[in-house]
Amino acid sequence: MSLKRRYLMCRPTHFAVTYRINPWMDPTAPYDNALAVSQWENLRQTFLGLGHTVELIDPLPGLPDMVFAANGGTVVDGRVLGVQFRDAERADEAPAYASWFRERGFEVREPKHTNEGEGDILLAGDVLLAGTGFRTAHASHAETQEFLQRPVITLQLVDPAYYHLDTALCVLDERTVAYLPQAFSPGSQSVLRQLFPNAIIATPEDAAVLGLNAVSDGETVVLAEQATHLAEALRAAGYRTIGVDLSELRKAGGGPKCCTLEVRP
C-alpha cells in the first residue's frame, strides 16, 4: 500500500568528485555540477509529483557528498540515530544533519560506532536490515537495535562496488525486497531467502547502474532509468516504475536512494 512519504534531500550545489572513497569515484574524470543539479531537481520533482513531502537541508561548501542525504541518519518512530562516517572527507556532514533534526524537535542519538545512516540501515516491515563489511561497523548494529527499538538483521556485504546496503538491496514494501545475491555473503544470502521468499532478484547489469539504489513508496518505485530489466521485473510484480537519470551523481557512487532520507515521525 502506498503511503505519502516525508523525505529529506540536499541540493548538490557543491557536488564534485575530488577524492576517491569508493570504486565508483575517479577524481581524474570530468564531472558536470550543473547537470548533477538538474538531474537531482528532476528527482525532487518526481517525488513531489507523487504527492510526497520533500524538505531540504542547506548544502555546505567543502562537502561535495552531502547531496547523499540517505547517509545523514536513520529515522524510525521519531528517533534519529545520528551517523559517524568512516572517511574523514565526509565527517562534517554528520553534525549538520544531526543539527537539522534537533532544530525540528527530534530526539537524536550520537552514535558510538561507525554507521552511515540509511546507506546501511533499511527499515523493512518490522525489522531493520543492517549492512556491514565496508562502511558501517558491525558493532553499530546492537546500538541501532537498542535505540531504534526494532529487531536488527545483520547482512554481510562482500563486493566493494556495493559498499552500502542500499546499493545492493531495495525495500519495496513491508514484505518484499529486490536485491543482488552476489553482493552478499553465503550466510546473508540464506537469510534473505528465508526472510523474503518472493524477492525480486536483480541482474548484475542492473545493479551495475545502481538500479537497486531505488526509492519505493510501496506502489511506485523510482529507479535509475538505465536499469531496464529490473524495471520490467518490478512491473511484472505489480509495481509502477518511474525511471530517472542520475548518471552524473553515479560518478560518486550515488543514485535515487542515496539522495533520499526518509523521515519517519
Side-chain angles (χ1 to χ4, degrees), residues 2 13 42 45 47 53 60 64 67 75 77 79 85 126 149 155 159 171 212 215 217 224 228 238-239 244 255-256:
S2 174
T13 305
N42 180 58
Q45 291 296 333
F47 291 145
T53 298
L60 298 178
V67 60
V75 190
D77 301 326
R79 297 185 190 90
F85 287 95
D126 294 325
Q149 300 176 20
L155 298 171
D159 185 335
V171 177
L212 288 163
V215 179
D217 63 14
T228 53
Y239 298 95
V244 293

Side-chain angles (χ1 to χ4, degrees), residues 20-44:
R20 181 181 174 89
I21 60 173
N22 69 54
W24 301 80
M25 304 177 93
D26 180 0
T28 67
Y31 61 87
D32 185 333
N33 176 272
L35 180 57
V37 172
S38 174
Q39 292 179 342
W40 175 92
E41 179 61 27
N42 180 58
L43 176 65
R44 187 179 77 92

